[in-house]
Amino acid sequence: MKTTLLQTALLCLLATGARAQSQCEEPVMPDPVDGSRVGGEQLRAAMAATREFMAQSDLYQFCLSREVDAGKALAVTESRPFDGTLEADARARIEASQRAKEKASLSINTAITIYKHAHPDFH
């Protein structure tokens, strides 16, 4: 369903030419967990939250890329130059999102390693 909403938002962008503000929603990184202080269910929940964050971050990055593509296509259709600052802003947001994904991944992997050290039977 989220993909359908994303596609609808992008079609609206193309149709209306709305480019002042991004329609892409940046996901919130999950809170880090301390592998030495959480229970197994809490760790599993944190792992699930991190997986969801990663998936939503991928959609966010894709959405930003599609907005740039839509802006370029609209500029061609309207026979006007494309505003490169929109692309630079999108690239900066994509890079920041990628860093957040890496941070979340490192955080949950560290928590898992710490937890597994204390609980070798954890799967």
Side-chain angles (χ1 to χ4, degrees):
M1 180 169 179
K2 290 183 184 199
T3 303
T4 304
L5 292 174
L6 175 65
Q7 291 170 340
T8 302
L10 290 173
L11 288 173
C12 289
L13 278 174
L14 279 173
T16 64
R19 295 288 303 146
Q21 189 174 11
S22 175
Q23 299 299 309
C24 304
E25 189 171 326
E26 183 176 8
V28 176
M29 188 167 52
D31 292 329
V33 294
D34 182 346
S36 66
R37 296 180 183 214
V38 297
E41 289 306 311
Q42 291 170 308
L43 184 58
R44 283 184 185 87
M47 291 166 58
T50 300
R51 279 191 302 274
E52 179 65 17
F53 170 72
M54 299 292 212
Q56 292 302 313
S57 294
D58 287 342
L59 287 174
Y60 172 66
Q61 291 177 22
F62 177 75
C63 179
L64 291 169
S65 295
R66 300 309 318 158
E67 281 189 345
V68 169
D69 292 344
K72 287 179 178 180
L74 187 61
V76 168
T77 300
E78 294 178 350
S79 300
R80 62 171 171 76
F82 174 69
D83 181 359
T85 60
L86 298 174
E87 185 169 21
D89 179 60
R91 285 184 194 271
R93 289 175 186 232
I94 289 169
E95 289 170 11
S97 174
Q98 191 61 36
R99 285 190 303 273
K101 283 176 59 177
E102 291 165 6
K103 183 177 179 179
S105 177
L106 178 61
S107 177
I108 196 65
N109 287 334
T110 299
I112 292 167
T113 300
I114 291 168
Y115 187 85
K116 278 186 169 183
H117 184 68
H119 304 87
D121 57 334
F122 180 76
H123 296 284

